[in-house]
């Protein structure tokens, strides 16, 4: 592995994080991606864009999200734990930060039609929400299997005015929905913007989504200053599906080596069980969704279907930023299995009165695996709320009594 010379963990000019990233796309998408690449930084840094973006984050999404010192959880694990409450955002997770940003960008690029892919439906709902807000045409691709599993989110998207297309190719899950969205984009390059839901896909998406989510760490900075008299913690903790809530949580601290980064990926039934989504520990280098990264694949390069109890974490790849952070040792990645995550969810609920999303429960699961010191400030991104996961929690609860 080549050592990074300047220890800069941000994206390079040509779209790489170390050896990972880039834009590996079919010829027909070249001009779409190139136009986006030329436009995104100028738009994101434009003061008028920033003004509109932050106004919506504040009045529509409900930011800043609180940084909450979880005292009883802290006592239990012998350190100072702060929860970054992304669960309190409109639509229940951090995903709205990204979709608000991208819909504003799409408008500025003169687009009138929005497409998105979704697995469990959370990103689909966040996209349909901002499309309703901005009166934009919205088409969401979703594997047929997921459509059947996630009826409530499908209904929400439809109520919001989106068209949900059930994809029947392959395993009829997220990977197939993504292929279909890419196919659509190829056919409708001029009027359509593709809102990708995580720090994945061809450059510039991973960087663009990370920048839009970086509001999370910008807030953590001043909130920690207020609460601890210092604007950085010893540790930042987040779960990683594609990597967007994690990227947002660490963005402002990427090159600040006083801050250690601990990430949780989903071990499903266990790392060695053959049923997991532990992409960083089990993945090998390949290309998925237009990026070179670590992914779960067979020896002949077929993408393996990932598994996790949490629908938001069972993505077969990982954002290129996180592949690089893990490979260079900047982040420590722990695999948390289904059982550990569910137990962590019940623990948080009973100690703090907060029912977390199953994804966020994986981040909380690291406290079972790693010791901290009493003086350590540990900021955990509580990426979403648990309403959507109640059926799973109920099943688990009923099996215990
Ligand atoms: C979608 C989702 C995730 C995983 O996506 P990332 O891009 O890795 O953040 C995590 N938590 C919640 C609540 C989600 O909805």
């Amino acid at each position: 592995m080549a050592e990074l010379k300047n220890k800069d963990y941000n994206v390079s000019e040509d779209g790489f994080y170390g050896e990972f990233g880039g834009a590996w796309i079919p010829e027909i998408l070249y001009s779409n991606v190139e136009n986006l690449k030329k436009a995104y930084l100028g738009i994101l840094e434009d003061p008028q864009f920033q003004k509109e973006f932050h106004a919506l984050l504040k009045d529509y999404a409900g930011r800043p999200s609180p940084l909450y010192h979880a005292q009883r959880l802290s006592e239990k694990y012998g350190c100072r734990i702060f929860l970054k409450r992304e669960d309190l955002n409109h639509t229940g997770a951090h995903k709205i930060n990204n979709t608000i940003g991208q819909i504003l960008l799409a408008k500025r690029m003169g687009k009138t039609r929005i497409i998105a892919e979704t697995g469990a439906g959370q990103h689909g709902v966040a996209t349909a929400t901002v499309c309703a807000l901005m009166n934009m045409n919205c088409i969401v691709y979703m594997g047929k299997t997921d459509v059947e599993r996630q009826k409530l989110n499908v209904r929400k998207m439809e109520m919001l005015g989106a068209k949900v297309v059930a994809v029947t190719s392959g395993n009829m899950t997220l990977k197939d929905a993504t292929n279909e969205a890419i196919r659509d984009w190829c056919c409708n390059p001029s009027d359509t913007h593709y809102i990708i839901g995580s720090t994945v896909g061809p450059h510039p998406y991973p960087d663009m989504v990370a920048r839009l989510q970086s509001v999370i760490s910008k807030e953590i900075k001043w909130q920690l200053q207020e609460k601890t008299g210092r604007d950085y913690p010893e540790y930042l903790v987040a779960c990683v599906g594609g990597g967007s809530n994690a990227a947002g949580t660490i963005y402002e601290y990427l090159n600040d080596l006083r801050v250690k980064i601990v990430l949780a990926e989903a071990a499903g039934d266990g790392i060695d069980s053959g049923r997991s989504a532990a992409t960083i520990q089990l993945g090998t280098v390949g290309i998925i969704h237009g990026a070179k990264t670590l992914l779960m694949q067979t020896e002949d390069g077929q993408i393996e279907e990932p598994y996790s109890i949490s629908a938001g974490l069972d993505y077969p790849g990982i954002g290129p930023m996180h592949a690089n952070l893990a490979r260079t040792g900047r982040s420590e990645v722990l695999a948390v299995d289904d059982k550990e995550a569910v137990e962590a969810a019940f623990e948080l609920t009973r100690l703090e009165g907060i029912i977390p999303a199953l994804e966020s429960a994986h981040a909380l699961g690291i406290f079972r695996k790693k010791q901290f010191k009493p003086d350590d400030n540990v900021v955990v991104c509580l990426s979403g709320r648990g309403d959507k996961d109640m059926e799973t929690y109920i099943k688990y609860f009923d099996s215990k009594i």
Side-chain angles (χ1 to χ4, degrees), residues 176-372:
D176 315 294
T178 304
N179 289 340
E180 215 49 49
I182 290 173
R183 210 161 292 148
D184 179 314
W185 206 25
C186 287
C187 300
N188 302 284
S190 59
D191 64 344
T192 299
H193 176 67
Y194 177 16
I195 299 191
I196 294 184
S198 188
T199 42
V200 300
H203 177 66
Y205 277 101
D207 183 52
M208 178 167 74
V209 175
R211 284 170 189 262
L212 294 172
Q213 291 290 0
S214 70
V215 63
I216 299 173
S217 51
K218 291 194 174 86
E219 289 174 5
I220 290 174
K221 268 200 155 169
W222 63 258
Q223 288 171 323
L224 268 183
Q225 181 69 43
E226 261 179 30
K227 290 198 152 61
T228 69
R230 215 181 59 181
D231 71 355
Y232 68 95
E234 272 69 24
Y235 289 92
L236 290 167
V237 178
C239 65
V240 214
S244 70
N245 86 89
T249 302
I250 64 183
Y251 194 84
E252 292 292 316
Y253 299 103
L254 270 176
N255 296 307
D256 181 347
L257 301 181
R258 297 170 301 185
V259 182
K260 297 187 191 75
I261 298 168
V262 182
L263 303 176
E265 61 177 1
D269 285 342
I271 274 268
D272 303 317
S273 68
R275 270 168 55 84
S276 86
T279 319
I280 294 176
Q281 302 196 23
L282 299 177
T284 51
V285 178
I287 288 168
I288 184 170
H289 301 169
K292 185 176 172 195
T293 187
L294 297 171
L295 58 133
M296 313 263 282
Q297 56 186 336
T298 60
E299 272 180 19
D300 53 355
Q302 293 297 313
I303 291 167
E304 289 183 273
E305 195 70 17
Y307 164 77
S308 162
I309 193 171
S310 135
L313 299 185
D314 69 355
Y315 177 70
I318 176 78
M321 172 199 274
H322 293 293
N324 183 51
L325 294 176
R327 281 290 173 91
T328 55
R330 176 69 183 97
S331 68
E332 177 183 2
V333 181
L334 301 173
V336 173
D337 70 25
D338 288 0
K339 184 162 177 286
E340 291 163 335
V342 173
E343 283 172 7
F346 274 83
E347 181 178 81
L348 184 75
T349 304
R350 289 295 169 91
L351 288 176
E352 300 288 348
I354 299 170
I355 303 180
L358 269 166
E359 293 85 1
S360 322
H362 284 73
L364 296 163
I366 65 110
F367 290 106
R368 283 142 210 272
K369 307 186 163 268
K370 192 174 165 67
Q371 280 275 312
F372 296 91

Side-chain angles (χ1 to χ4, degrees), residues 99-170:
T99 56
I100 289 176
Q102 285 201 49
I103 199 90
L104 292 177
L105 173 125
K107 265 179 52 178
R108 277 175 171 65
M109 292 185 73
K111 307 291 183 179
T112 53
R113 183 174 175 272
I114 297 295
I115 56 171
E117 84 296 333
T118 197
Q122 295 302 111
H123 172 57
V125 170
T127 302
T129 298
V130 296
C131 286
L133 179 69
M134 295 292 168
N135 191 25
M136 288 257 209
N137 235 329
C138 181
I139 295 102
V140 179
Y141 290 95
M142 191 169 184
K144 186 162 168 282
T145 310
D146 290 331
V147 168
E148 281 156 14
R149 284 196 287 216
Q150 309 286 343
K151 275 264 175 294
L152 189 60
N153 277 339
V154 173
R155 284 305 161 91
K156 279 189 190 171
M157 287 183 262
E158 288 170 349
M159 185 165 172
L160 286 158
K163 182 172 169 219
V164 180
V165 179
V167 176
T168 54
S169 55

